[in-house]
């Protein structure tokens, strides 16, 4: 057992305690707005404030990951050594993300899928799409740097265990997505393990960042289209 330095301990406390606490507090606040996520509605200003706040949080996370990683000479931007195997592994990791998403959706009834909070959070205007795009790009850099990079390095070095580092970083990553529900948190933990395997295989965070960005972009487009259809269907229903 190795004891990490003060910056690393602070970073672990931030990931394992502070961010999950913030996520669970946000979940409780949302529960006060409606009995089910599907009944929650956000105004345009509320939605924009949510994305701006998320963007600030991701920038803070990226900055902390860079500073702490630099403290023990860990590079966030190391280029993969061999490109062709990296490309194949990246495509396989992206495909596996969609397999996990498909499996998750199969466990949900149609009404359960339609009531997910992600539909209420879907961007509706050009300004919201710009903010959401920035959030996706920043989250791809920040979360991979923090969880698959610096966090894993600290935990794996401290415990002398690749698997414990992978498990704990995946749990921490899933915990900050509490508002998406327990089933989604399980899928997100599987995403995290998938990304960690990609980082291990390619010796670089960059492929994982790319998979994260592409996957999120495609899924958000699908969610936004479905959310638009739901709003249209809702507006066409006759008033009782």
């Amino acid at each position: 057992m190795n004891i990490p330095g003060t910056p690393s301990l602070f970073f672990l406390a931030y990931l394992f305690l502070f961010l999950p606490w913030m996520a669970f507090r946000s979940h409780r606040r949302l529960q006060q707005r409606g009995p089910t996520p599907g009944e929650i509605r956000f105004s345009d200003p509320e939605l924009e404030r949510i994305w701006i706040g998320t963007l600030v949080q991701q920038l803070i996370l990226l900055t902390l990951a860079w500073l702490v990683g630099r403290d023990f000479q860990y590079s966030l931007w190391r280029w993969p050594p061999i490109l062709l195997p990296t490309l194949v592994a990246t495509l396989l990791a992206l495909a596996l993300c969609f397999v996990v998403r498909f499996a998750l959706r199969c466990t949900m009834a149609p009404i359960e899928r339609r009531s997910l909070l992600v539909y209420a959070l879907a961007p509706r205007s050009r300004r919201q799409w710009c903010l959401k795009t920035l959030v996706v790009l920043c989250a791809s850099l920040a979360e991979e740097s923090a969880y698959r990079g610096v966090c894993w390095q600290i935990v794996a070095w401290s415990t002398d265990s690749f698997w414990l580092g992978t498990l704990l970083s995946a749990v921490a990553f899933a915990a900050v997505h509490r508002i998406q529900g327990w089933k989604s948190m399980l899928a997100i933990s599987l995403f995290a393990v998938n990304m960690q395997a990609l980082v291990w295989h390619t010796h670089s965070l960059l492929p994982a960042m790319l998979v994260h960005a592409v996957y999120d972009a495609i899924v958000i487009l699908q969610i936004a289209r479905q959310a638009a259809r739901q709003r249209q269907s809702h507006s066409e229903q006759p008033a009782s």
Side-chain angles (χ1 to χ4, degrees):
M1 181 74 178
N2 304 303
I3 305 300
T6 301
S8 295
L9 289 174
F10 170 82
F11 189 66
L12 292 181
Y14 185 76
L15 293 186
F16 286 94
L17 298 176
F18 179 73
L19 291 183
W21 172 74
M22 291 285 290
F24 278 72
R25 189 181 69 165
S26 297
H27 177 70
R28 286 197 302 270
R29 287 181 175 177
L30 289 173
Q31 286 181 318
Q32 296 172 358
R33 297 190 55 156
T36 64
E39 297 180 11
I40 297 175
R41 296 291 182 269
F42 297 104
S43 66
D44 286 339
E46 283 181 315
L47 205 53
E48 290 173 8
R49 284 196 298 270
I50 289 172
W51 293 131
I52 291 173
T54 304
L55 182 60
V56 170
Q57 291 176 1
Q58 294 295 342
L59 289 172
I60 292 172
L61 183 62
L62 180 60
T63 302
L64 289 175
W66 176 73
L67 290 172
V68 175
R70 189 180 65 168
D71 186 63
F72 55 86
Q73 289 79 52
Y74 179 71
S75 174
L76 302 180
W77 320 113
R78 184 183 300 115
W79 192 258
I82 306 176
L83 294 183
L84 183 57
T86 295
L87 177 61
V88 173
T90 301
L91 292 175
L92 287 175
L94 180 61
L96 186 55
C97 285
F98 284 102
V99 170
V100 173
R101 173 174 166 78
F102 176 77
L104 171 65
R105 290 174 64 84
C106 288
T107 67
M108 296 180 174
I111 190 171
E112 184 180 4
R113 291 199 299 268
R114 289 193 297 270
S115 66
L116 290 173
L117 184 64
V118 291
Y119 292 104
L121 293 170
R124 301 188 291 259
S125 66
R126 181 176 298 180
R127 176 182 170 86
Q128 290 170 14
W129 272 108
C130 289
L131 288 172
K132 184 57 178 175
T133 300
L134 289 175
V135 168
V136 167
L137 293 175
C138 193
S140 302
L141 299 177
E143 292 178 349
E144 298 307 315
S145 297
Y147 293 96
R148 257 65 70 188
V150 177
C151 176
W152 182 88
Q153 289 286 333
I154 296 171
V155 177
W157 177 82
S158 300
T159 61
D160 291 319
S161 172
F162 170 90
W163 294 109
L164 193 55
T166 300
L167 175 63
L168 292 180
S169 61
V171 169
F173 184 61
V176 299
H177 295 84
R178 177 65 185 94
I179 63 172
Q180 296 188 30
W182 291 108
K183 289 182 180 180
S184 295
M185 288 174 67
L186 177 59
I188 288 167
S189 66
L190 295 177
F191 291 149
V193 173
N194 177 37
M195 294 296 194
Q196 197 68 64
L198 179 61
V199 172
W200 172 81
H201 180 75
T202 61
H203 304 286
S204 172
L205 291 170
L206 298 181
M209 292 174 179
L210 178 61
V211 170
H212 192 145
V214 172
Y215 174 81
D216 276 4
I218 294 174
V219 169
I220 289 166
L221 282 172
Q222 294 175 342
I223 289 173
R225 289 172 180 171
Q226 181 63 32
R229 288 195 291 267
Q230 290 182 16
R231 289 195 300 271
Q232 182 178 5
S233 175
H234 204 55
S235 64
E236 291 175 352
Q237 292 179 358
S240 56

